[in-house]
Amino acid sequence: MRFVKADIYGFGKWVDQTFDFSSAQFNAFYGENESGKSTLQQFFLFVMFGLPPKRRQHFESKYSSRFGGSLTVEQNSALYTIERTKNGVRVLTEDGEAPAQFLEELLYGLTRETFESIYAFTALQLSEIQQMKVQDLNDVLFSVGLTGSTSIYKVEKTLDQRLGSLYKARGWKAEINEQLKKVETLTEEVRQLQHRESTYIEKRTNLEELKETLEQLEIEQDQIEATLHLKEKHLYACKQKEAYLLLEKERAAYEEIKPFPEEGIARFERLKDRLLPIESERNVLKQQLQQYEKAYEEANDTLLSKDYHALLQRFMKQKMIYIDLEKDIAHLTVQLKQIEETLREKLSEVSLTVEEIEDIILPFHLDQTVQQIKEQASTLQQEEAILQDEKRTNQTEINRLEKEIDDIKDQIIDETLLEERKTANKRYENEQLFYTQHASRQRDMEAFTEKKRIQSNQIMYGAIVVAIICAFIGWNNDMPMFMLFAGILVIIGVVQKLYLQRLWDAVPISTQHATDKMTEQQYIENEQIIQQQQTIHQELFLLQNELKKVLHADLLLDNKWEAWKTKQTQLQDKIATETFQYPFLQQLEVYIWDTYIRYIREVKEMLQTRSELQNDLYSMEHTFAPLERIRKQLGEHLGVPHVTIQQLEEIYEQEQQSVAKKEQAEREMNERQNVLIDIEEKIATYRTEMKELFAIAQVENDNEFYTIARENEKITSLDREMKEILSPLQLQFSEVELKEMFASTESEETLEELVEQLRQEKIRKQTKMNGTHEQYVAVQYEVEQLEASGILSEKIYLLEMEKTELTKLTNEWSVYKVAQAALDEAKKRYQEKYFHAVIDKTSTFFEHITQGKYVTVFAPTEKLSFQVETEDQRRYRVDELSKGTIDQLYVALRLAMNVIMQEKISVPLIIDDAFVHFDTVRSSQMVQLLREISVTQQVILFTCKDYFAKQVQATHILTNEKMKEDVHA
């Protein structure tokens, strides 16, 4: 089986994502931390095997309401789609939806635990090999080897459960243990029944005697209880009888009940309670009415006359206007003085009169025109300074350049002499090149000659040695051909040596002769002179170009002077025009025109402001005069000629308070008079109701009314108490018993002693009855059991049945035990079959990864962990290896288990960052091994190491934003 495509609806960070695995057997995913690699691996496991609800919540997407996805797989050239969502799982084939159990067949019966034990591993599991024992490895191999035959697991589990339910060495919950307990119990019961059967007659006689004794005791007990009940009733009634007699004696002192209104006291008390606060309120109102009348008179005496009160009220309404006008007039007066002073100063600065300034008309555009003239004059002045400075600079630069050009021209030599020096140097360079090449060829010829001489010597010596050997063989074996061949070899070796020696001697050996035309020192001097002249010509060319630029710039500067003069003429025309229109500017510099015009505008504005303030002052004084007259009249009437506003406010406040007091007192007087009328009417009504109550009780005052009420209440209370005592007694006693009780002279102490004696006697009788009854019941039970003739035989029959059931359970336990032993033996043989194959394959893979440094892996035992052996036969325990080597051993073991089990179950191999501690060399070996495995099995690798992704040429690159497919790292 291999993965073809994965469609993720929503799982962790992945939403609406598709991965295609159809293009390659080896699929490598590269991504940094939190890019979704582990989540993608969990998605594969979720689709195949599912997840518990709690773990499923961990992978619910925060960006989509959908959950789950589908995984398309290929098996036996057919495509199947496994889809798992919140609603469950289904398998889709090319013909439609498959049955629910088909998924188990498609996955070869694998569980999630088995799959992760063999076909998927991560970096977190790398340290497990240090704790792995032989039984752990055997269990894993057996679980995978029997995958698809889940019935074996079920049988093993059923055997363990059934054996545990049948028998346990300790405890009593197992069936055989419980059956043994039942057999023992029944055996003991049969023994007891056989013993009891012999004592039947004796027990029957004893039963009759106990029955008679019990009946006699019951009769005596009933008599005691009747007597005790009667005496207890008398004792209880004794206290009530005495209370009744005392109440009867007290009742005889009163006459019959007198006539009295129904609920008279309550009604009378309610009337008094209502009347008392009303009368109190009436008295308070009368006092308040007197106080308010007095306050009314006092307030009225302090008021002004109506005319002056109205005049004061009128003034106070306009008080704020008066105050504001007074302040504004003073303020305007001060402003006018300040403006006059400022005007005098401004007029002195501009040297013009007020009339002249008022006649001047300044249009709105004048300021802009003046500003333009000022800016243009300033600009022209700056340009003049700049042009003069540039002119001086250019002239200085021209003089400098002309002087430097003259100096350089003096250093230039004649062109004919310079060309002669160049020709001589060129000739010298050609000769030197020829001599260098000739010397190189001569050295190569000498090396070739020496090499050939060595080869000739080797051929000659070799021929001589072979000739000697052949001659020796021919001499010993009497073979002339070998001796002839030896002579020919010697001749050939010597002849080729002599021929080559003559050829080498004929080769001429040339010698190098130094030129006598020019020395090296002369060549160097010529080169220096040539370089110096080239530098001088370059400097001359640069200076001439620079001089041309400066002359051109000077020409442009003259043009700028002409343009400046034109602008200056235009500016003078504008100044003449403005001074003609505004003569007061003729004597002023252009640079202060705007300041002077601003002064004139300020003066004109101040004149306008002064005129407006004078008009405002006149208007305020016209409004202020009537109010001032009112103030003076009030002052004269009050005797204060120069009365102030504050004094008037105080007087007005007092006047307002007096008016308010007067009005308040008048309102309160009217209100209390109305209330008094209502109160008097209520009092009269309550007095009438009280007189009606007195008439019914036939009394004149409230004291007599209360006396009759108390007597009637006492009589009623006594009658009620006597009835309450007598009613329970009438229920407990008959009329005759009641009369006898009242006639009896027994005291309460005597009755208490008698009741206590009867109670003790009752307890003694009851204790005796209980003991006798217990004996009777026990004997009766024994007799009944003995009389039931089938009990003993029934118990014997049950005992035999239970023994048979025990034998059946014991036989069943023996069968299950034999089956369990057979299954254990089968497991052992199966594990041994695969165990050695896995260890051998682990050794092969580990040797490949470590490049032959470790050649053998030894399996763990119950006491020892894994061991490895190097190529020089040294053994190391797993805990003696480095972290990286331990990881490589674990990876080799997992790959070996995968390869061995792949022969039985073909599913993809999933690896999550298991090579973090591999160096570059062993990473390369690991990649080579994975590629070999991927030929027959699909491999899916996850890694966060970029160098490893480059080695495996990752087909999928995961990022935190998106996933890019089919991109090599």
Side-chain angles (χ1 to χ4, degrees):
M1 183 181 74
R2 62 187 297 271
F3 295 164
V4 177
K5 184 176 68 172
D7 291 316
I8 306 177
Y9 308 152
F11 195 84
K13 72 167 287 181
W14 299 109
V15 176
D16 296 332
Q17 187 68 54
T18 299
F19 295 91
D20 188 6
F21 304 99
S22 60
S23 60
Q25 277 285 97
F26 190 175
N27 291 270
F29 287 81
Y30 165 68
E32 298 177 351
N33 293 332
E34 298 186 0
S35 61
K37 302 188 300 299
S38 299
T39 304
L40 186 57
Q41 180 189 6
Q42 290 298 321
F43 171 76
F44 297 151
L45 297 175
F46 164 72
V47 173
M48 291 191 291
F49 306 107
L51 281 174
K54 288 186 178 180
R55 286 197 62 192
R56 190 185 305 167
Q57 293 177 358
H58 178 69
F59 294 101
E60 290 183 356
S61 176
K62 296 180 174 59
Y63 310 103
S64 174
S65 60
R66 302 179 67 193
F67 177 75
S70 66
L71 187 64
T72 303
V73 300
E74 181 183 3
Q75 189 179 75
N76 298 329
S77 301
L79 294 179
Y80 303 95
T81 300
I82 308 170
E83 183 182 49
R84 193 182 294 271
T85 62
K86 292 181 179 178
N87 301 324
V89 62
R90 60 176 185 163
V91 180
L92 303 177
T93 66
E94 297 175 354
D95 300 328
E97 185 172 350
Q101 63 273 18
F102 181 74
L103 178 60
E104 185 176 353
E105 299 175 6
L106 186 63
L107 298 175
Y108 303 97
L110 286 171
T111 63
R112 181 188 178 104
E113 292 75 16
T114 305
F115 186 91
E116 290 182 324
S117 298
I118 298 295
Y119 303 105
F121 59 95
T122 67
L124 299 177
Q125 300 170 322
L126 296 178
S127 60
E128 292 180 0
I129 195 169
Q130 295 178 273
Q131 290 80 32
M132 186 175 290
K133 301 300 180 183
V134 63
Q135 188 58 40
D136 300 331
L137 188 57
N138 281 335
D139 290 343
V140 173
L141 293 174
F142 184 69
S143 65
V144 180
L146 296 183
T147 299
S149 302
T150 55
S151 58
I152 294 180
Y153 266 130
K154 293 178 181 177
V155 167
E156 184 178 19
K157 186 175 181 181
T158 302
L159 285 174
D160 291 337
Q161 291 177 350
R162 188 57 182 156
L163 286 171
S165 65
L166 285 174
Y167 177 73
K168 292 180 180 178
R170 297 180 181 179
W172 293 94
K173 297 299 180 182
E175 294 182 25
I176 293 178
N177 301 73
E178 293 294 325
Q179 196 64 28
L180 285 170
K181 188 176 180 181
K182 288 180 182 179
V183 170
E184 291 175 359
T185 302
L186 286 173
T187 302
E188 179 63 23
E189 289 179 358
V190 168
R191 188 187 62 77
Q192 292 178 1
L193 286 173
Q194 291 173 346
H195 174 73
R196 290 175 184 175
E197 192 174 11
S198 62
T199 61
Y200 172 73
I201 298 173
E202 181 182 352
K203 292 184 181 295
R204 187 67 185 175
T205 304
N206 188 21
L207 182 65
E208 293 296 332
E209 294 176 354
L210 288 172
K211 184 178 180 182
E212 294 176 358
T213 303
L214 189 61
E215 291 176 351
Q216 183 62 33
L217 288 173
E218 288 178 352
I219 294 171
E220 294 176 358
Q221 182 72 359
D222 291 341
Q223 292 175 353
I224 292 172
E225 286 182 354
T227 305
L228 176 62
H229 180 65
L230 181 62
K231 293 303 178 183
E232 285 178 344
K233 288 167 63 178
H234 284 180
L235 179 61
Y236 172 74
C238 184
K239 296 179 180 179
Q240 294 176 334
K241 181 181 73 172
E242 292 178 359
Y244 182 83
L245 294 174
L246 291 173
L247 291 173
E248 189 177 32
K249 182 179 179 181
E250 187 177 359
R251 174 67 179 83
Y254 293 96
E255 300 177 357
E256 294 299 323
I257 296 177
K258 297 179 181 181
F260 197 79
E262 186 178 357
E263 297 183 359
I265 293 296
R267 291 164 61 187
F268 184 76
E269 291 292 339
R270 283 196 297 270
L271 291 173
K272 285 184 65 177
D273 292 340
R274 294 174 184 174
L275 187 60
L276 183 62
I278 292 174
E279 289 179 343
S280 176
E281 185 179 359
R282 181 184 61 180
N283 296 332
V284 172
L285 287 173
K286 288 181 178 180
Q287 294 176 1
Q288 291 178 350
L289 187 59
Q290 293 175 359
Q291 293 175 357
Y292 285 121
E293 288 175 350
K294 182 179 179 182
Y296 179 83
E297 294 297 332
E298 291 175 353
N300 193 38
D301 293 340
T302 58
L303 290 175
L304 296 172
S305 63
K306 285 186 178 182
D307 295 338
Y308 281 101
H309 179 78
L311 195 63
L312 177 60
Q313 193 170 14
R314 176 185 171 190
F315 180 83
M316 294 309 295
K317 286 181 179 179
Q318 298 181 341
K319 177 190 68 173
M320 296 308 299
I321 298 175
Y322 177 87
I323 294 172
D324 292 341
L325 287 172
E326 188 177 28
K327 291 180 180 179
D328 291 342
I329 290 171
H331 182 66
L332 288 176
T333 304
V334 172
Q335 280 187 317
L336 285 171
K337 289 181 181 179
Q338 292 176 351
I339 288 173
E340 290 294 343
E341 293 176 0
T342 306
L343 275 174
R344 285 194 294 273
E345 294 176 359
K346 295 288 184 181
L347 290 173
S348 64
E349 291 178 0
V350 299
S351 301
L352 295 173
T353 62
V354 173
E355 292 76 13
E356 291 174 341
I357 291 176
E358 289 178 346
D359 292 339
I360 295 174
I361 299 175
L362 300 175
F364 68 91
H365 59 79
L366 180 60
D367 292 335
Q368 183 178 2
T369 303
V370 170
Q371 184 66 25
Q372 291 176 352
I373 292 173
K374 179 180 178 182
E375 291 177 356
Q376 191 173 1
S378 177
T379 302
L380 289 174
Q381 186 177 6
Q382 293 176 2
E383 289 180 355
E384 182 183 14
I386 293 171
L387 290 173
Q388 290 176 353
D389 185 60
E390 289 181 354
K391 187 67 176 177
R392 286 193 298 272
T393 303
N394 282 354
Q395 191 59 46
T396 303
E397 187 67 12
I398 290 170
N399 296 335
R400 182 184 67 79
L401 291 173
E402 290 177 346
K403 183 177 183 304
E404 289 182 359
I405 289 172
D406 294 338
D407 294 339
I408 288 176
K409 286 181 178 179
D410 295 338
Q411 299 176 13
I412 297 175
I413 65 176
D414 187 58
E415 286 292 332
T416 304
L417 296 176
L418 185 62
E419 286 298 325
E420 292 177 356
R421 291 180 182 274
K422 289 181 179 181
T423 303
N425 278 11
K426 186 66 175 178
R427 187 170 55 252
Y428 177 81
E429 290 173 356
N430 292 335
E431 292 175 356
Q432 291 298 317
L433 178 61
F434 172 78
Y435 294 143
T436 302
Q437 293 175 349
H438 179 75
S440 176
R441 287 194 299 269
Q442 187 69 27
R443 286 193 298 271
D444 293 341
M445 179 60 71
E446 291 175 356
F448 176 76
T449 303
E450 183 63 25
K451 180 178 179 182
K452 291 299 181 180
R453 182 180 291 109
I454 294 172
Q455 290 178 353
S456 177
N457 291 336
Q458 291 175 347
I459 291 171
M460 183 183 68
Y461 296 144
I464 292 172
V465 171
V466 173
I468 293 172
I469 293 172
C470 291
F472 179 76
I473 294 172
W475 178 265
N476 289 335
N477 297 320
D478 194 16
M479 297 174 67
M481 290 298 296
F482 274 89
M483 298 181 67
L484 178 62
F485 181 68
I488 293 171
L489 285 177
V490 172
I491 293 170
I492 291 172
V494 174
V495 169
Q496 66 89 22
K497 171 67 176 173
L498 295 175
Y499 173 76
L500 291 177
Q501 184 66 39
R502 184 180 299 174
L503 185 63
W504 294 329
D505 293 339
V507 176
I509 300 176
S510 302
T511 56
Q512 181 179 352
H513 300 281
T515 180
D516 54 355
K517 295 181 179 180
M518 177 181 284
T519 63
E520 184 177 0
Q521 182 63 30
Q522 291 174 339
Y523 173 78
I524 294 173
E525 289 177 358
N526 287 342
E527 280 296 316
Q528 291 176 350
I529 292 171
I530 292 170
Q531 291 293 333
Q532 185 179 9
Q533 288 300 310
Q534 289 178 350
T535 303
I536 291 171
H537 280 86
Q538 290 175 356
E539 291 179 357
L540 179 62
F541 176 76
L542 294 175
L543 289 173
Q544 289 174 344
N545 286 339
E546 189 173 355
L547 179 60
K548 290 179 181 179
K549 292 179 182 180
V550 175
L551 292 173
H552 183 263
D554 190 62
L555 181 60
L556 294 176
L557 191 60
D558 292 339
N559 294 335
K560 290 181 180 180
W561 267 110
E562 293 299 327
W564 180 86
K565 291 177 181 178
T566 302
K567 292 178 183 178
Q568 183 68 20
T569 303
Q570 293 173 352
L571 178 62
Q572 293 301 325
D573 293 342
K574 287 183 181 180
I575 293 172
T577 301
E578 295 301 322
T579 53
F580 176 76
Q581 292 180 357
Y582 306 101
F584 60 87
L585 297 176
Q586 293 178 357
Q587 305 300 324
L588 301 174
E589 293 290 337
V590 172
Y591 304 107
I592 63 172
W593 279 9
D594 55 344
T595 305
Y596 194 79
I597 291 172
R598 187 173 66 253
Y599 266 70
I600 293 175
R601 286 189 186 279
E602 291 176 357
V603 171
K604 289 177 73 65
E605 289 175 359
M606 293 176 69
L607 291 173
Q608 179 66 24
T609 303
R610 183 182 68 175
S611 175
E612 292 173 356
L613 291 175
Q614 287 174 347
N615 293 335
D616 292 343
L617 182 61
Y618 175 77
S619 176
M620 290 179 184
E621 288 177 344
H622 180 72
T623 306
F624 181 74
L627 295 175
E628 180 65 16
R629 286 196 297 271
I630 293 173
R631 185 186 67 81
K632 290 181 180 179
Q633 289 178 7
L634 289 171
E636 291 175 357
H637 176 72
L638 295 171
V640 184
H642 301 288
V643 65
T644 63
I645 296 297
Q646 185 177 2
Q647 291 172 336
L648 289 175
E649 287 177 346
E650 293 174 356
I651 294 169
Y652 182 73
E653 182 68 23
Q654 294 174 0
E655 191 76 3
Q656 291 295 103
Q657 291 176 358
S658 297
V659 171
K661 288 179 180 179
K662 178 181 176 182
E663 292 175 351
Q664 179 67 20
E666 188 175 3
R667 284 196 302 272
E668 296 293 338
M669 288 165 59
N670 293 333
E671 290 177 1
R672 279 152 182 75
Q673 287 174 354
N674 295 331
V675 174
L676 278 173
I677 293 172
D678 295 336
I679 289 175
E680 292 294 344
E681 291 177 355
K682 290 181 181 180
I683 291 174
T685 302
Y686 293 146
R687 292 291 183 188
T688 301
E689 292 180 6
M690 293 173 71
K691 287 179 180 180
E692 291 175 356
L693 292 175
F694 289 165
I696 294 172
Q698 299 176 1
V699 296
E700 298 295 334
N701 53 51
D702 54 351
N703 291 331
E704 295 176 355
F705 187 81
Y706 280 120
T707 300
I708 292 175
R710 284 193 296 270
E711 290 179 355
N712 287 348
E713 185 178 359
K714 184 63 175 177
I715 293 170
T716 303
S717 175
L718 290 172
D719 290 343
R720 185 175 61 254
E721 291 179 6
M722 291 171 65
K723 186 176 181 181
E724 289 176 354
I725 293 173
L726 191 60
S727 295
L729 294 177
Q730 289 174 344
L731 296 175
Q732 296 178 10
F733 299 95
S734 65
E735 186 176 354
V736 176
E737 290 177 343
L738 195 61
K739 289 180 179 180
E740 290 179 356
M741 183 190 68
F742 279 107
S744 176
T745 58
E746 289 180 338
S747 65
E748 184 177 0
E749 290 80 5
T750 303
L751 288 173
E752 288 178 351
E753 291 177 0
L754 183 58
V755 166
E756 183 62 27
Q757 292 175 1
L758 291 172
R759 287 175 178 171
Q760 294 297 328
E761 183 65 21
K762 178 184 177 182
I763 293 171
R764 287 194 296 272
K765 290 291 182 183
Q766 186 63 43
T767 302
K768 188 174 180 180
M769 283 176 62
N770 291 340
T772 303
H773 185 266
E774 289 176 359
Q775 292 177 6
Y776 177 79
V777 170
V779 173
Q780 185 182 24
Y781 175 73
E782 292 175 356
V783 170
E784 288 176 352
Q785 283 186 329
L786 294 174
E787 288 177 349
S789 58
I791 292 178
L792 179 58
S793 60
E794 183 180 352
K795 291 291 183 182
I796 293 172
Y797 173 74
L798 290 175
L799 178 60
E800 292 300 324
M801 290 294 291
E802 296 297 339
K803 286 181 178 180
T804 302
E805 180 66 20
L806 178 60
T807 303
K808 179 181 177 182
L809 291 174
T810 305
N811 293 337
E812 183 181 0
W813 180 83
S814 301
V815 171
Y816 283 132
K817 196 67 177 176
V818 171
Q820 188 184 46
L823 183 61
D824 290 340
E825 182 64 24
K827 284 175 59 177
K828 182 177 180 181
R829 292 178 181 177
Y830 186 88
Q831 290 165 351
E832 289 176 354
K833 174 184 176 182
Y834 284 101
F835 182 79
H836 297 296
V838 169
I839 295 302
D840 292 342
K841 184 63 70 172
T842 302
S843 299
T844 302
F845 287 165
F846 193 52
E847 181 180 7
H848 175 81
I849 295 172
T850 60
Q851 293 184 308
K853 182 175 181 179
Y854 299 97
V855 295
T856 307
V857 176
F858 294 95
T861 63
E862 291 300 329
K863 296 182 179 180
L864 298 176
S865 60
F866 276 93
Q867 296 184 36
V868 295
E869 186 175 81
T870 62
E871 55 185 351
D872 55 356
Q873 298 182 345
R874 292 185 180 181
R875 286 195 182 187
Y876 296 94
R877 296 190 310 275
V878 67
D879 55 357
E880 295 177 327
L881 303 176
S882 67
K883 174 62 178 172
T885 307
I886 293 174
D887 293 351
Q888 291 148 20
L889 176 59
Y890 181 78
V891 170
L893 174 64
R894 292 300 299 266
L895 292 178
M897 294 168 65
N898 167 74
V899 170
I900 295 300
M901 295 298 106
Q902 186 70 15
E903 299 173 0
K904 181 177 180 62
I905 299 175
S906 178
V907 293
L909 173 63
I910 302 175
I911 306 173
D912 186 6
D913 247 341
F915 314 127
V916 292
H917 296 112
F918 284 33
D919 57 25
T920 306
V921 175
R922 295 190 178 178
S923 295
S924 300
Q925 295 294 108
M926 191 69 246
V927 172
Q928 181 182 353
L929 183 58
L930 290 177
R931 292 198 181 279
E932 293 176 0
I933 294 174
S934 67
V935 174
T936 57
Q937 180 185 12
Q938 187 181 38
V939 177
I940 298 176
L941 172 67
F942 298 93
T943 181
C944 66
K945 304 300 181 182
D946 54 352
Y947 70 86
F948 198 79
K950 293 176 182 178
Q951 288 181 333
V952 301
Q953 296 181 343
T955 55
H956 304 270
I957 296 179
L958 307 181
T959 66
N960 289 329
E961 293 82 15
K962 60 181 180 178
M963 192 279 299
K964 303 176 182 177
E965 288 195 6
D966 302 324
V967 179
H968 291 292

